Amino acid sequence: MSTTRTLIRNGLVITASDETHADILIEDGRIAALAAHGTDIAASWTASAERVIDATGKYVIPGGVDAHTHLDFPFGGTFSSDDFESGTRAAAWGGTTTIVDFAVQTAGHALREGLDAWHAKADGKCAIDYAFHMIVSDVNDASLKEMDLLIEEGVSSFKLFMAYPGVLYSDDGKILRAMQRASTNGGLIMMHAENGIAIDVLVEQALARGETDPRYHGEVRKVLLEAEATHRAIQLARVAGAPLYVVHVSAEEAVAELAAARDKGLPVFGETCPQYLFLSTDNLAEPGFEGAKYVCSTPLRPREHQAALWRGLRTNDLQVVSTDHCPFCFNGQKELGRGDFSKIPNGLPGIENRMDLLHQGVVDGHLTRRRWIEIACATPARMFGLYPKKGTIAPGADADIVIYDPHTEQVISAETHHMSVDYSAYEGKRVTGRVETVLSRGEPVLEDRRFVGRAGHGLYTPRSTCQYLD
Ligand code: DUC
Ligand code: ZN
Ligand code: ZN
């Protein structure tokens, strides 16, 4: 814990609810107080502060909360290329100060074993704070009981898959049982909503026709099969009386299902990711094997879907933008699927790019500044029981703070990024705005774009239950 008194002066403080010209006093790793620029009280802090950060002309925002990452994640016969050390370092470079990663239950084993394994992967490695969701791949009497115990330990959300038959897939009966449990124990079910059984038939048929290129990944994972699964997940949650959070929503038709459910007043929430807002099937169709760089599930959609996703973020039919950061190197990993798109490991890098890309959404007029902070910091913190410790700038909150330069242009590139992956999904994209300085619990992690953090500073952060259901 930092015992240094730090003062951040002269910045524009932006939270999900306010924009204020305020100075911030940090003590013992937490925000002690805010006061308007030029007031006597703000002036009185200057003398006693050991560290003063001048934020003139800059935004002062809460550190990002990325509620969907896969570090050191086993998938498609390999492991995601960022581990907890490189991934959390890259997250900090991009202005994210908390991640919620997915621990995985191996079928036939206890949830506990999976969670312990993920603690071992992360312990002592992280530059920023972290928490876990649990992927339940084997719903049975024992794992249902274990859900209750995990919630008490701060793992209050559980991901189920309607996709990937034979791997992570749960059938409707298992999904219903997990939802029934969540309806009584306060857990939040996170759903990968794609009809994996139907998709596997289409995959087989495509390969039999000789359609092996990366772009067929997008063609077989049809919009209608995302929308159908989203609809089914909502109905199952209604039957169980449970809340539902649908991850990585990519299709306009799936947003419509969420909007219809929310219009009925149901506790249904949706997340999208930067790749669905900025990339499209045009990328999957890039020549040669380049499209493999963009293979993820749910897949990228035709460009027309982007407007519906931005609209959903504005209307609150979608509440959160996370990355689903799951990087695989082009050389040696994505290549596993040359000649058979179904063998390309699914996932995109993005943990470092989310805050900047969403700020570009502000620059482009899709979002207000406050909505940027809401979808990237405050709501993910509330959704997953971390608020107001994380996700805002207020007295008592952890001093997880980003000094953001809203004017400097940067060009996103694998040459300059810090993720451990050999390509960028946004190579050459110009964005306006850049993270300058990052504090985690008052400690500098990035100082004027110099990394000064350390592996092991980041702490496991147990979570309460979803704060939209209180
Ligand atoms: N989707 C991905 O793209 N990668 C990991 C798992 C998932 O559901
Ligand atoms: Zn998923
Ligand atoms: Zn994921």
Side-chain angles (χ1 to χ4, degrees):
M1 180 176 53
S2 168
T3 49
T4 311
R5 269 168 80 92
T6 300
L7 174 62
I8 304 175
R9 297 181 60 203
N10 298 328
L12 175 65
V13 179
I14 307 172
T15 66
S17 55
D18 295 297
E19 299 190 1
T20 47
H21 293 276
D23 295 351
I24 301 172
L25 180 67
I26 297 165
E27 280 176 347
D28 299 333
R30 296 218 178 131
I31 295 164
L34 289 92
H37 299 328
T39 53
D40 288 350
I41 181 147
S44 76
W45 294 338
T46 313
S48 63
E50 290 137 86
R51 185 188 296 126
V52 178
I53 299 172
D54 182 16
T56 304
K58 309 283 160 56
Y59 297 161
V60 182
I61 60 175
V65 178
D66 189 343
H68 188 152
T69 67
H70 299 282
L71 301 176
D72 204 356
F73 180 67
F75 196 78
T78 184
F79 282 80
S80 60
S81 57
D82 263 318
D83 66 8
F84 280 83
E85 183 164 352
S86 63
T88 57
R89 195 191 315 125
W93 272 99
T96 286
T97 53
T98 307
I99 60 163
V100 191
D101 200 88
F102 287 85
V104 186
Q105 176 198 23
T106 307
H109 294 255
L111 298 186
R112 162 99 276 136
E113 274 179 63
L115 182 58
D116 287 350
W118 256 258
H119 272 296
K121 283 171 188 268
D123 190 30
K125 290 257 192 79
C126 295
I128 55 166
D129 289 352
Y130 61 98
F132 292 119
H133 311 285
M134 188 85 222
I135 289 176
V136 183
S137 38
D138 191 358
V139 176
N140 56 43
D141 288 343
S143 54
L144 288 168
K145 279 202 194 96
E146 273 195 289
M147 283 169 70
D148 305 0
L149 299 174
L150 259 57
I151 291 172
E152 277 166 28
E153 286 182 32
V155 179
S156 55
S157 39
F158 303 89
K159 187 177 179 192
L160 299 175
F161 287 78
M162 301 169 102
Y164 306 130
V167 192
L168 297 165
Y169 174 82
S170 294
D171 66 26
D172 290 355
K174 291 188 173 186
I175 290 170
L176 183 67
R177 291 185 75 200
M179 287 174 165
Q180 286 171 331
R181 196 78 180 195
S183 75
T184 58
N185 68 14
L188 181 61
I189 298 295
M190 307 171 76
M191 190 61 75
H192 179 128
E194 287 187 291
N195 185 328
I197 300 283
I199 286 169
D200 272 10
V201 171
L202 297 178
V203 169
E204 209 181 293
Q205 292 170 345
L207 292 174
R209 285 194 296 270
E211 296 169 351
T212 60
D213 290 348
R215 71 188 164 98
Y216 295 107
H217 171 82
E219 293 194 6
V220 297
R221 303 188 86 91
K222 294 194 178 298
V223 160
L224 289 177
L225 297 178
E226 182 185 346
E228 182 276 327
T230 305
H231 181 83
R232 185 157 36 100
I234 292 167
Q235 303 312 325
L236 290 169
R238 284 177 85 178
V239 168
L244 174 69
Y245 178 95
V246 182
V247 296
H248 49 53
V249 175
S250 63
E252 177 169 11
E253 288 80 350
V255 179
E257 295 290 346
L258 295 170
R262 292 179 59 81
D263 286 348
K264 289 192 178 79
L266 298 170
V268 171
F269 308 98
E271 163 200 279
T272 191
C273 311
Q275 52 269 35
Y276 307 118
L277 297 165
F278 288 94
L279 304 174
S280 73
T281 44
D282 296 350
N283 299 99
L284 268 175
E286 283 179 15
F289 191 60
E290 286 294 295
K293 294 177 176 174
Y294 306 95
V295 165
C296 59
S297 297
T298 54
L300 301 182
R301 300 298 183 190
R303 206 194 293 260
E304 299 74 64
H305 290 259
Q306 292 171 1
L309 297 175
W310 285 116
R311 192 181 331 110
L313 288 170
R314 284 192 297 277
T315 58
N316 206 38
D317 289 317
L318 297 170
Q319 294 77 31
V320 172
V321 177
S322 307
T323 56
D324 198 5
H325 177 75
C326 191
F328 297 101
C329 288
F330 184 69
N331 292 303
Q333 292 193 296
K334 290 289 188 181
E335 275 176 340
L336 294 169
R338 256 190 213 280
D340 179 349
F341 69 84
S342 72
K343 296 202 165 63
I344 301 169
N346 285 203
L348 254 61
I351 202 166
E352 189 171 349
N353 307 123
R354 182 184 67 126
M355 296 299 284
D356 288 330
L357 288 167
L358 291 178
H359 180 258
Q360 188 59 35
V362 175
V363 172
D364 294 342
H366 295 298
L367 304 170
T368 64
R369 290 189 291 215
R370 275 171 284 158
R371 186 64 178 159
W372 168 44
I373 301 307
E374 193 163 28
I375 62 180
C377 311
T379 300
R382 277 205 176 95
M383 190 68 70
F384 297 108
L386 289 164
Y387 195 88
K389 186 177 164 68
K390 307 294 187 188
T392 193
I393 294 179
D398 281 357
D400 290 2
I401 295 181
V402 173
I403 312 297
Y404 196 81
D405 173 351
H407 303 300
T408 297
E409 267 204 6
Q410 56 168 320
V411 180
I412 299 176
S413 174
E415 306 263 297
T416 48
H417 75 199
H418 304 86
M419 298 176 284
S420 180
V421 59
D422 61 0
Y423 75 96
S424 171
Y426 306 97
E427 187 66 39
K429 184 171 177 57
R430 269 178 192 284
V431 292
T432 303
R434 201 174 68 168
V435 172
E436 200 155 87
T437 290
V438 175
L439 304 181
S440 164
R441 283 178 278 105
E443 293 280 354
V445 180
L446 202 71
E447 215 165 39
D448 292 328
R449 294 197 66 72
R450 230 174 10 102
F451 185 77
V452 293
R454 65 177 173 87
H457 164 82
L459 297 179
Y460 172 65
T461 310
R463 301 180 288 115
S464 68
T465 53
C466 173
Q467 293 165 298
Y468 288 99
L469 305 169
D470 297 345

